[in-house]
Amino acid sequence: MSWNLTQRCNLECAHCYMSAFAGADTRGELTTGECRRVLDEIAQVNPNVFLILTGGEPLLRRDIWEIAAYAAEKRFTTVLGTNGVLLGEREARRMREHGVLGASISLDSTDRVKHDAFRHLPGAWDGAVRATRVLGDAGLDFSLHMSVTDWNVGEIPAMIDLARALGAKVLNFFFLVRTGRGRDLTDVDATAYERILTSLAKAQSVGGTAAGRFEDPWSAPVGRADGLLIRAKCAPHFRRILWQQNPSSPLLQNYAHGSCPAGKYYCRITPEGDVTPCPYMPVAAGNLRTASFAELWRGAPVFDNLRDPKLGGRCGACEFSKICGGCRCRAYATYGDYLAEDPACGYAPGAHGGAVIELPATVTFGLPVAWELAWDADARERLQAIPSFARGMVVKAVEAYARGRGDAVVTRELLAEVRAKWGGRFRPSRP
């Protein structure tokens, strides 16, 4: 769940789907009380939701900590989506105090001048990098988000190196969807998408040890992933490319259920309470002031259409329609039809036969879990509270802690000790 809490922002980024700015009118935004009610309604649908509180800039909302604390009370996995400029030591301390487990930081270039120009604020790059260090010092995990367009695509290898150097757990490459202020930006073409995604797939090999290399005109080496989880967002054909490289690749587990997530297991709430399938798709299922979240999530026609899609064009004819299925938001931004083909994909359907390809049932959402120690039944049951994409990391960290104590079995009591020591960083158990 992405929740755009406000349209106010201290930046005016060139690609912003919200067209956010500092002087945005906030009078129609959901009140604190309405936000608490909506959190109650979300919990009725999914008590273990992964919640991203974002904006605009969420730190400009005066009640951000009250909303975050209430989400934490509901046992949601809650993080902030921020440009990082306003995130200092005090904010990191408040994150820990109010149950916020981490943040995603936007960083669009390894060059501070270019990043600042794109974000329309001098010092934005330094602020974002400072935020990563503040979070690291506070023991909070963070991911980096890079919005990929034609001007910075050549920096992808350098961004991977920078993400590793800063200590990011995840590096998300968001490929352009031309909506909001980004409608006039230039996207890379379908051939370039194929080259870029192929190189990313090579870089993110099993164990993160393989090096990929961009083909011309981006010939810089991608370098080693070394445990950094690299994800391509708004480019579900990345999953098709992973399958083409290795149909049994564990990396396929990083992309839940295949295809575009919009409306299937992901949605967005606008500042005024509209529920949409994705931040990049301004098609409202309804408004939370006139209907409950459960009513919209379970009954809105747009969600029904996306969950059992009748895709058009090449996406509808493609054997990878279930593994990939194209970006529904890019289709909408281009054609005004969220079931149309994805124009960013250059694959010709039929190259792998006409039958629809499905992943085996053993490939599920989440990072591979490599069990090295024994876990008793209660400990494994408690692990289910962890969002599935993070379980692999949690198991690895907990087992390292257990080995350091000389324990051969992970128990409920050990998980409680880990939680007391680490706080919410890995959220290994519940009290």
Side-chain angles (χ1 to χ4, degrees):
M1 170 80 69
S2 288
W3 193 335
N4 299 117
L5 286 171
T6 182
Q7 195 177 3
R8 288 187 64 209
C9 190
N10 52 322
L11 309 184
E12 289 190 32
C13 305
H15 67 305
C16 181
Y17 63 85
M18 288 279 292
S19 298
F21 64 105
D25 186 354
T26 63
R27 288 174 294 180
E29 295 178 356
L30 296 178
T31 66
T32 307
E34 287 175 319
C35 290
R36 291 166 68 96
R37 173 180 57 78
V38 169
L39 290 170
D40 289 336
E41 293 174 357
I42 293 170
Q44 293 173 1
V45 174
N46 180 5
N48 296 308
V49 74
F50 186 91
L51 179 66
I52 306 165
L53 299 177
T54 185
E57 172 50 56
L59 293 174
L60 288 175
R61 228 185 120 129
R62 294 182 179 179
D63 59 356
I64 180 61
W65 304 119
E66 184 175 347
I67 295 170
Y70 194 70
E73 286 180 25
K74 308 302 290 186
R75 297 295 189 180
F76 294 169
T77 298
T78 307
V79 300
L80 296 182
T82 171
N83 57 54
V85 174
L86 303 178
L87 204 166
E89 293 180 1
R90 182 181 65 172
E91 288 71 31
R93 184 171 61 252
R94 288 185 174 181
M95 288 171 65
R96 292 195 67 90
E97 291 171 352
H98 295 88
V100 179
L101 303 182
S104 58
I105 306 292
S106 299
L107 200 61
D108 298 308
S109 177
T110 57
D111 183 321
R112 57 171 43 87
V113 174
K114 293 180 180 178
H115 175 86
D116 290 357
F118 188 61
R119 295 274 167 175
H120 291 180
L121 181 72
W125 191 92
D126 289 326
V129 171
R130 182 181 62 250
T132 67
R133 292 172 178 150
V134 166
L135 290 168
D137 290 345
L140 293 163
D141 289 332
F142 66 91
S143 62
L144 289 183
H145 290 185
M146 177 182 179
S147 296
V148 180
T149 63
D150 62 334
W151 69 269
N152 64 358
V153 64
E155 296 187 47
I156 287 178
M159 185 59 73
I160 294 174
D161 290 338
L162 179 59
R164 291 173 52 230
L166 292 175
K169 297 296 183 183
V170 179
L171 174 58
N172 288 321
F173 291 107
F174 281 81
F175 288 85
L176 179 66
V177 177
R178 289 189 298 238
T179 187
R181 269 201 299 265
R183 66 173 58 89
D184 296 324
L185 296 181
T186 303
D187 198 3
V188 296
D189 62 27
T191 300
Y193 263 92
E194 199 76 7
R195 289 174 177 166
I196 296 162
L197 295 174
T198 297
S199 290
L200 289 178
K202 290 178 180 178
Q204 182 75 36
S205 65
V206 177
T209 58
R213 183 174 292 274
F214 280 111
E215 300 178 30
D216 290 335
W218 306 288
S219 57
V222 170
R224 294 171 180 257
D226 288 342
L228 174 69
L229 175 58
I230 300 171
R231 297 191 295 197
K233 297 289 189 174
C234 307
H237 32 309
F238 184 56
R239 205 162 186 260
R240 182 255 303 164
I241 290 170
L242 287 173
W243 188 95
Q244 288 175 297
Q245 290 186 1
N246 178 7
S248 60
S249 170
L251 296 175
L252 290 169
Q253 299 177 86
N254 297 341
Y255 298 88
H257 314 308
S259 68
C260 177
K264 296 178 180 177
Y265 52 92
Y266 174 69
C267 67
R268 178 271 293 256
I269 300 174
T270 71
E272 297 78 20
D274 283 342
V275 178
T276 76
C278 177
Y280 302 109
M281 189 188 299
V283 178
N287 188 276
L288 292 166
R289 284 179 167 139
T290 58
S292 71
F293 179 76
E295 290 173 318
L296 298 179
W297 180 252
R298 292 169 178 157
V302 62
F303 289 148
D304 289 340
N305 292 340
L306 290 167
R307 291 166 191 168
D308 185 22
K310 305 297 186 293
L311 301 178
R314 289 177 297 122
C315 286
C318 186
E319 63 269 36
F320 289 101
S321 60
K322 290 190 175 180
I323 289 179
C324 168
C327 174
R328 300 298 95 222
C329 303
R330 188 175 292 107
Y332 183 80
T334 304
Y335 305 113
D337 178 2
Y338 52 75
L339 297 178
E341 70 181 32
D342 183 347
C345 180
Y347 179 75
H352 288 274
V356 174
I357 298 171
E358 298 194 47
L359 294 176
T362 54
V363 177
T364 57
F365 179 25
L367 293 177
V369 175
W371 307 95
E372 295 181 2
L373 300 181
W375 287 56
D376 68 22
D378 193 27
R380 288 201 182 219
E381 191 276 331
R382 284 171 175 262
L383 187 67
Q384 298 308 303
I386 303 295
S388 53
F389 67 83
R391 285 178 198 148
M393 179 179 69
V394 172
V395 167
K396 183 177 179 180
V398 169
E399 291 189 347
Y401 180 82
R403 283 193 296 271
R405 288 172 24 116
D407 293 333
V409 178
V410 177
T411 64
R412 171 181 179 174
E413 290 73 24
L414 186 139
L415 286 178
E417 181 177 330
V418 170
R419 181 172 177 82
K421 183 178 180 64
W422 289 341
R425 185 174 181 188
F426 291 102
R427 208 177 179 189
S429 68
R430 297 186 177 195

